[in-house]
């Protein structure tokens, strides 16, 4: 029988779930079982749980047949728990190192109390950490055991389920269970703490309480917050059923009033139209349960007044500050409207659902995923009008004559963006672009991420130098849909961009041309680049380095590499776009191209063409490898500075351990792979097959069509990417009730 049964309910947390499970399973204290409850999560949670269960026999997975909510998902795990103590861990939080060992030691010292209360720290998405402000209460409780009556201040701590562990026998004796609905911790925690005969405290931070930028269920604006009234009714019913707890009624009555008013005061909880009703129900609940003869605390007397009085008091207290804020906001809005050239009537016009505005790579032309969607839309939905945003006249001159476009920040740009119903981009739109009600933003990204992105850069100060991550996320708040090419990308984007959007498993539209490529594709590009017929084309595509100012590091002597490849080979080099206009080319690349030693393809507008022309890709850590793998051609990863790169930029996985082909750690190893033919041997093919299985799983050559039909046209989904299950495009319907029964996955 294990010491701890850790019950982890999971729903739509795939971006955080691995970190949570790793924090538990990598603890030095091993005497545990993990009961992971998949609450019919629509994302990849279930598959992640099964993966962990397959490799660690301490993990059991319970897949519920339908979504039942957090409290009832915890209940579903209870019958399967066999440990001495129950620990309900939320699946986006993590344990600190050594936490379980510290808990076990404290339980032994205190003689197995009914409840052990421990400390926590709030960890914020932007990298900050703040300890529980009331941690001193735990220190003051000392080393002994006590009851809530002996130390009532223990109830001033956050009344949640996850900062405590509970003796299983005690829970079973009283039959404690979680009710449905929001605030399910309230009717669990108060009865548990008031009933416990022996409580112990641990003055140690054992848990990191993740403060998500968005996605916290209690920060969702909804009528679900009315559930708090029913939850306190359950608390009072429990106290009424146990006469020995009657003395707690005044305390609970006050807590209830404070809690409800706190919910009402928060701007992100209740719809404005429902606040008066919430106040009225709170006042009725407060009056109904007020103990006879008990005076009303001054701060709660407003509950004996009409809602209008409550509103006036709140507004009076903040009137000066609010007026100043609104004045400044109005001035900024007016200035913004003036800059955008919008008329008063303009914003009130409904968006044109047949107008799609496209941009790619900071307005550099018809490129990337947006270009693939644009071309598919012209073929499938000619009634849709597509307009491209380009950065300047020079870029516009390079566009085909039949491509409609506007210049960034021009009057035409302001008019078309004010009317558009759809926006498709692979880079965040400028902050001056205001998202209008009814318009839909589709973000395509720029490939599969290996290196840290967006919010994850907050832990890498060198890599985020000059990057305004909060501003980046505020702009990403405009996204409605995020296109994902594979399960890995879906996890990363949801973690790196903690915003409200729907991930759509489409595959990468720009990769359709690679998936559908035939043996002769690329011949025209080879001819245009001057590559002799019959040559083996080696494409070298290095990425930038954050540990070097300017981003460019010469990892390979290109002239020597071209020579060492020998007769019958052509070396084609394509620099990272951020290095295209810097000194990298002037340090030798341009001269080598001029002399015919190699081909500089950095300026080729369509990287897909360059990939089609190549027989083998040599790269370090460029995202190009994920796209190139769709061609099923050899890839060599040159990783001579992997440790430095990983430390400075951060990486989501070890590309040297999960490579798409052979890995070279030095120039000597790289040239040996080519001189020996190892770059295309059976082992190379085996590694590539595993890589493709992981990262090309949703690429079927119809991604662009899928985006046009399911998103732009709203057609029913008839065909989807192989093995992919697309989420519904409309908001999910409310969960239906279900029993607390489920099916345990086989171990």
């Amino acid at each position: 029988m294990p010491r701890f049964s850790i019950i982890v309910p999971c729903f739509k947390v795939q971006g955080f779930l691995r970190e949570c499970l790793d924090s538990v399973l990598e603890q030095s204290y091993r005497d545990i079982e993990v009961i992971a409850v998949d609450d019919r999560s629509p994302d990849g949670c279930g598959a992640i749980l099964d993966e962990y269960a397959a490799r660690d026999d301490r993990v059991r997975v319970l897949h519920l047949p339908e979504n039942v909510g957090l409290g009832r998902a915890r209940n579903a795990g209870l019958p399967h728990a066999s440990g001495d103590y129950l620990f309900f861990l939320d699946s986006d939080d993590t344990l600190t190192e050594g936490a379980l060992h510290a808990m076990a030691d404290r339980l032994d010292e205190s003689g197995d109390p009914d409840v052990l209360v421990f400390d926590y720290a709030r960890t914020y998405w932007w990298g900050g950490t703040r300890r529980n402000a009331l941690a001193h209460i735990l220190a003051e409780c000392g080393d002994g055991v006590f009851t809530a009556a002996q130390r009532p201040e223990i109830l001033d701590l956050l009344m949640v389920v996850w900062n405590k562990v509970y003796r299983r026998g005690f829970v079973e004796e009283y039959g404690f269970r979680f009710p449905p609905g929001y605030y399910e911790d309230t009717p669990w925690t108060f009865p548990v703490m008031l009933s416990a005969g022996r409580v112990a405290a641990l003055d140690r931070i054992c848990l990191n309480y993740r403060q998500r930028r968005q996605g916290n269920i209690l920060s969702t604006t909804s009528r679900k917050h009315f559930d708090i009234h029913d939850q306190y009714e359950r608390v009072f019913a429990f106290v009424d059923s146990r006469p020995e707890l009657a003395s707690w009624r005044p305390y609970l009555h006050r807590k209830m009033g404070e809690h409800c008013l706190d919910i009402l005061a928060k701007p992100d909880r209740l719809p404005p139209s429902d606040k008066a009703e919430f106040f009225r129900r709170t006042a009725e609940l407060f009056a109904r349960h007020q103990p006879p003869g008990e005076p009303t605390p001054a701060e709660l007397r407003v509950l004996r007044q009409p809602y209008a009085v409550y509103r006036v008091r709140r507004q009076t207290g903040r009137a000066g500050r609010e007026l100043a804020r609104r004045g400044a906001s109005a001035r900024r809005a007016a200035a913004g409207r003036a800059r955008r050239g919008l008329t008063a009537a303009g914003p009130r016009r409904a968006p044109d659902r047949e107008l799609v505005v496209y941009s790619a790579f900071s307005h550099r032309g018809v490129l990337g995923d947006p270009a693939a969607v644009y071309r598919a839309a012209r073929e499938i939905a000619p009634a849709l009008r597509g307009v491209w945003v380009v950065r300047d006249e020079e870029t516009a001159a390079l566009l085909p004559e039949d491509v409609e476009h506007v210049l960034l920040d021009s009057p035409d740009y302001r008019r078309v963006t004010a009317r558009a119903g759809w926006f498709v981009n692979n880079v965040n739109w400028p902050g001056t672009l205001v998202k209008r009600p009814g318009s839909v933003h589709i973000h395509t990204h720029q490939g599969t991420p290996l290196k840290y992105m967006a919010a994850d850069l907050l832990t890498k100060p060198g890599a985020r130098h000059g990057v305004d991550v909060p501003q980046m996320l505020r702009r990403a708040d405009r996204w409605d849909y995020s296109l994902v090419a594979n399960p890995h990308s879906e996890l990363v984007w949801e973690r790196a961009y903690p915003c409200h959007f729907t991930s759509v498993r489409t595959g990468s539209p720009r990769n359709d041309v690679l998936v559908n490529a035939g043996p002769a594709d690329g011949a025209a590009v080879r001819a245009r680049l001057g590559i002799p017929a019959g040559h083996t084309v080696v494409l070298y595509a290095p990425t930038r380095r954050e540990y070097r100012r300017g981003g460019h590091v010469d990892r390979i002597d290109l002239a020597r590499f071209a020579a060492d490849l020998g007769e019958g080979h052509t070396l084609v080099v394509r620099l990272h776009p951020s290095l295209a206009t810097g000194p990298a080319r002037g340090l030798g690349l341009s001269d080598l191209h001029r002399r015919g030693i190699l081909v500089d393809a950095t300026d080729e507008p369509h990287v897909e063409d360059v990939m089609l022309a190549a027989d083998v890709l040599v790269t370090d850590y460029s995202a190009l490898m994920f796209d190139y793998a769709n061609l099923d051609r050899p890839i060599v990863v040159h990783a001579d500075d992997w440790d430095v790169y990983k430390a400075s930029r951060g990486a989501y996985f070890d590309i040297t351990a999960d490579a798409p082909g052979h890995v070279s750690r030095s120039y000597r190893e790289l040239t040996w792979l080519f001189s020996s033919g190892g770059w295309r041997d059976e082992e190379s093919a085996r590694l590539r097959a595993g890589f493709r299985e992981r990262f090309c799983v949703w690429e079927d050559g119809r991604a662009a069509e899928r985006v046009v039909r399911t998103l732009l046209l709203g057609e029913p989904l008839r065909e989807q990417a192989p093995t992919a299950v697309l989420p519904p495009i409309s908001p999910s319907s409310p969960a239906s009730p279900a029993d607390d029964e489920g099916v345990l996955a086989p171990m």
Side-chain angles (χ1 to χ4, degrees), residues 21 48 68 89 134 190 195 279 333 336 346 473 522 573 599 623 638 665 720 731-732:
L21 295 174
I48 293 171
V68 298
L89 177 64
L134 298 178
F190 280 120
S195 302
F279 179 88
L473 298 182
V573 178
V599 174
H638 186 56
R665 296 283 190 171
Q720 59 191 29
S732 301

Side-chain angles (χ1 to χ4, degrees), residues 415-731:
R415 280 191 289 270
V416 78
T417 55
R419 295 171 47 213
W422 302 92
F423 292 83
V424 182
N425 201 347
N426 65 1
V427 178
N428 264 328
W429 291 96
T432 54
L433 178 63
V434 176
K435 182 178 182 182
R436 298 180 56 206
S439 66
V440 177
H441 286 231
I442 300 171
H443 194 76
T444 71
H445 302 284
Q446 295 183 38
T448 295
L450 170 61
K451 58 190 177 185
Y452 277 7
M453 305 292 288
D456 290 328
L457 289 175
L458 292 168
T459 62
K460 298 292 180 181
R464 77 167 189 267
H465 179 69
V467 177
D468 187 343
V469 173
Q471 174 74 299
M472 179 188 299
L473 298 182
R474 284 192 292 272
R475 295 179 179 182
D477 284 334
R478 295 174 294 193
W479 303 352
D480 293 285
Y481 299 110
S482 165
L483 306 188
V484 291
N486 47 61
H488 165 75
S489 295
E490 184 176 47
L491 289 172
V492 169
W493 298 140
E494 292 186 8
R495 165 180 161 164
Y497 291 95
C499 308
H500 287 302
F501 57 76
T502 298
S503 295
V504 189
R505 302 171 180 177
T506 58
S508 293
R510 72 183 180 284
N511 286 342
D512 289 347
V513 66
L514 304 180
V515 176
N516 297 322
D521 287 313
V525 184
R526 290 183 177 221
R528 186 173 71 250
L529 296 176
I531 297 172
H535 268 216
T536 297
V537 178
V538 180
L539 171 60
Y540 175 52
T543 193
R544 65 177 291 117
R545 303 302 201 273
E546 272 70 24
Y547 62 78
R548 177 69 62 86
R549 185 182 296 276
H552 174 66
V553 179
D554 283 320
R555 305 307 310 175
I556 293 177
D557 183 332
L558 296 176
R560 180 182 177 187
F561 187 37
D564 287 342
L565 287 173
E567 292 293 329
H569 293 77
T570 295
L571 177 62
V572 176
V573 178
R574 184 178 178 88
L575 296 178
H576 188 276
S578 66
L579 304 176
T581 58
R585 300 167 85 176
L587 292 172
L589 180 58
S590 296
D591 183 58
L592 294 174
H593 176 80
R594 179 186 60 80
R595 292 161 54 194
I597 294 175
L598 51 74
V599 174
D600 178 9
T602 303
D603 286 337
E604 281 293 310
H606 302 289
V607 67
E608 297 87 357
D609 289 347
V610 180
M611 288 190 281
L612 285 170
D615 295 298
V616 54
L617 170 67
V618 178
T619 186
D620 35 38
Y621 325 115
S622 171
L624 206 65
M625 72 179 84
F626 299 96
D627 302 326
Y628 190 81
N630 285 284
L631 290 168
D632 198 16
R633 299 174 187 174
I635 302 173
V636 175
V637 176
H638 186 56
D640 64 336
D641 64 341
W642 170 243
D643 292 337
V644 177
Y645 181 86
K646 180 175 61 174
S648 61
R649 178 61 194 245
Y652 291 111
F653 65 94
D654 186 351
I655 191 60
T656 64
D658 297 300
H662 288 296
V663 177
S664 59
R665 296 283 190 171
S666 66
Y667 180 74
R668 181 178 180 182
E669 290 181 6
L670 176 63
T671 53
W672 178 84
L673 283 171
F674 281 93
S675 63
S676 66
W679 61 276
R680 55 182 175 184
D681 62 11
E682 291 185 2
E683 177 65 6
S684 170
R686 185 189 69 80
L687 292 170
R688 186 168 69 255
F691 192 83
R692 282 168 49 82
E693 184 178 351
R694 181 177 179 186
F695 295 107
C696 302
V697 64
W698 295 340
E699 304 279 25
D700 66 347
R702 299 185 62 186
E705 177 188 355
R706 192 173 293 113
V707 173
V708 173
R709 293 193 182 279
T710 62
L711 297 184
L712 298 182
L713 296 180
E715 294 180 1
L717 184 65
R718 290 175 295 182
E719 291 189 37
Q720 59 191 29
T723 75
V725 179
L726 275 78
I729 293 175
S730 58

